[in-house]
Amino acid sequence: MADVATRPLSRTDHTWFAGQVETLLPALYGTAVRLCRDRTDGEDLVAETIAKAWEAFPALRNRDTFRGWMFRILTNTFLSQYRADRARGEVESFDASDDGFSLFERVHQPILLWWGNPEQDFLNGLLRDDLIRAIDELPDRLRTVVVLVDVQALSYREVSTALKIPVGTVRSRLARGRGLLQKALWENARDAGLRAGPQRSGGEDQPDDQR
Amino acid sequence: MTSAEINTCEDALRLLAAHLDRELNDHTHAEVQRHLDACRSCYSRAEFERRLKASIAALGHEPVPPELSGRVESLIRQFTVTADE
C-alpha cells in the first residue's frame, strides 16, 4: 500500500488522477444524474466531486480504492445538498408495506405459463425510461442505496462506509427501495397497458386479483 | 453473513437478494445456488431478479455531454501541483 498521505502532489500524481477521472467520468455522471434526477445538477455534482477529490487526494492511502472513494465523495456531496433541501422542507415518508412487493409474483401467473413466459415478456417490454422513472420516484435515502448497489455495484460494506450507516440499514433500505421500485414498475406498466391489468378492456390475459 | 442451511424455498428466497448481490459467504452462496439449480420455481424467480438487476445496472453509464468533459478538463488543468518530480 503506497503511503501518499503526507506527500505533496506531483505532476505524475496529477496525470494519474486525470486519467482515473476520465475513465470514471461516465459512471460518475450516470450516478450523479440518477441521484439528482436532473442532468444539469448532475454535472454540477460531478464537478464538485472532482474538486473535492483532488483536495483530499493526498490523504488517499490506497489508490486501489480510488473508485469507491470517488463514489463516496460523490454520494456525500449529494447527501449534504439533500440535507440542505430537507432543511428547506422536503419531506419523505416510507410505507413499510412496500418492503415485500414482488414484481415477479405479480407477473408470474401460473395460469399463463401454458401459453408463454410472462415474466420474460415483461422484462423484454421494459424500457430504459420506465426504469429511470421508477428510480427517480424513490425517496432520496432509498434511491441513494439502490443506485450505489444496483447501478454502481458497490458492496453493502462500501455503501455502509459511504453513507455512515450500519450494513443492516443498507440491507433494509435496499429491500425497501427495491420493493418500491418494483411496485412503481408494475403500476407504470399496468397503466401503460403493457401487461393488461384488470381495469383494461383487453385484460383477458390477466386475472382480476391484481389490485 | 453467517452460513445458512437452505432447506426450503422460503430459505432460498430470503437470501436471494444477497445471493444476487454476491454478499453471501462461499458456503451459503453455493447452498442457495444448489437450491436454485434444483427448483424450477425459485430458479425462475432468480432469473427474473437477475435480469431486472442487469437492466438497472445498465443505467450506470451515461454518455458524457461535451460541456461536462470540457468543464472537467478545465477544472483538472487548474489543480495545483505542489511537488517536483
Side-chain angles (χ1 to χ4, degrees):
Chain A
M1 183 185 292
D3 184 5
V4 294
T6 54
R7 84 182 163 82
L9 296 169
S10 67
R11 177 59 55 189
T12 306
D13 295 324
H14 187 269
T15 304
W16 188 90
F17 183 91
Q20 294 294 313
V21 166
E22 188 183 350
T23 305
L24 276 181
L25 197 54
L28 289 170
Y29 179 58
T31 304
V33 171
R34 291 286 72 75
L35 290 175
C36 295
R37 298 183 275 208
D38 180 272
R39 290 180 180 276
T40 306
D41 288 350
E43 290 183 27
D44 290 345
L45 177 57
V46 168
E48 199 177 339
T49 298
I50 292 168
K52 283 183 177 176
W54 178 254
E55 210 169 289
F57 192 44
L60 178 65
R61 283 182 294 178
N62 180 3
R63 291 189 179 181
D64 292 343
T65 64
F66 187 79
R67 183 176 186 276
W69 182 74
M70 285 296 283
F71 281 108
R72 189 152 72 230
I73 295 172
L74 180 118
T75 308
N76 287 336
T77 305
F78 166 74
L79 287 175
S80 59
Q81 177 63 37
Y82 145 79
R83 286 188 189 106
D85 286 345
R86 283 204 77 189
R88 286 196 288 272
E90 180 184 306
V91 176
E92 67 179 43
S93 64
F94 300 149
D95 181 352
S97 67
D98 294 322
D99 274 17
F101 187 92
S102 166
L103 184 55
F104 178 82
E105 286 172 11
R106 298 300 171 116
V107 178
H108 182 85
Q109 299 295 331
I111 193 171
L112 300 177
L113 294 179
W114 295 100
W115 294 282
N117 192 328
E119 60 269 20
Q120 295 303 322
D121 291 347
F122 184 94
L123 289 173
N124 291 340
L126 207 53
L127 301 176
R128 181 181 169 89
D129 282 354
D130 297 329
L131 285 165
I132 288 173
R133 196 178 318 119
I135 290 176
D136 284 359
E137 285 172 9
L138 293 175
D140 284 344
R141 263 189 289 179
L142 304 186
R143 194 173 68 260
T144 305
V145 175
V146 170
V147 166
L148 292 179
V149 173
D150 281 343
V151 178
Q152 289 310 331
L154 296 193
S155 68
Y156 296 175
R157 176 69 56 194
E158 287 174 307
V159 176
S160 157
T161 305
L163 302 183
K164 296 188 179 69
I165 54 176
V167 169
T169 306
V170 173
R171 201 174 283 123
S172 61
R173 286 188 189 179
L174 193 56
R176 187 162 294 181
R178 284 170 170 168
L180 275 175
L181 189 146
Q182 294 200 2
K183 187 177 184 185
L185 287 176
W186 169 250
E187 289 175 351
N188 291 343
R190 198 187 53 192
D191 291 348
L194 184 64
R195 300 296 313 165
Q199 79 280 25
R200 301 271 165 187
S201 57
E204 67 278 357
D205 66 341
Q206 196 79 303
D208 278 357
D209 59 357
Q210 298 303 312
R211 305 214 62 174
Chain B
M1 183 171 276
T2 55
S3 297
E5 291 300 316
I6 309 298
N7 296 314
T8 65
C9 293
E10 195 181 3
D11 292 338
L13 294 180
R14 184 171 47 81
L15 295 172
L16 183 58
H19 175 77
L20 296 176
D21 292 338
R22 303 202 162 277
E23 292 282 342
L24 298 175
N25 63 41
D26 290 348
H27 173 75
T28 309
H29 184 88
E31 283 283 302
V32 174
Q33 191 57 50
R34 203 182 344 269
H35 178 88
L36 296 179
D37 290 341
C39 174
R40 185 180 300 276
S41 165
C42 289
Y43 180 83
S44 299
R45 169 76 178 264
E47 280 306 295
F48 180 83
E49 300 291 347
R50 202 191 310 274
R51 277 195 62 192
L52 183 58
K53 190 174 158 67
S55 300
I56 295 170
L59 304 176
H61 289 69
E62 284 278 338
V64 178
E67 307 81 56
L68 179 60
S69 297
R71 184 175 171 185
V72 168
E73 276 171 31
S74 157
L75 184 67
I76 290 179
R77 251 197 318 272
Q78 290 168 29
F79 290 157
T80 313
V81 172
T82 51
D84 296 328
E85 293 300 331

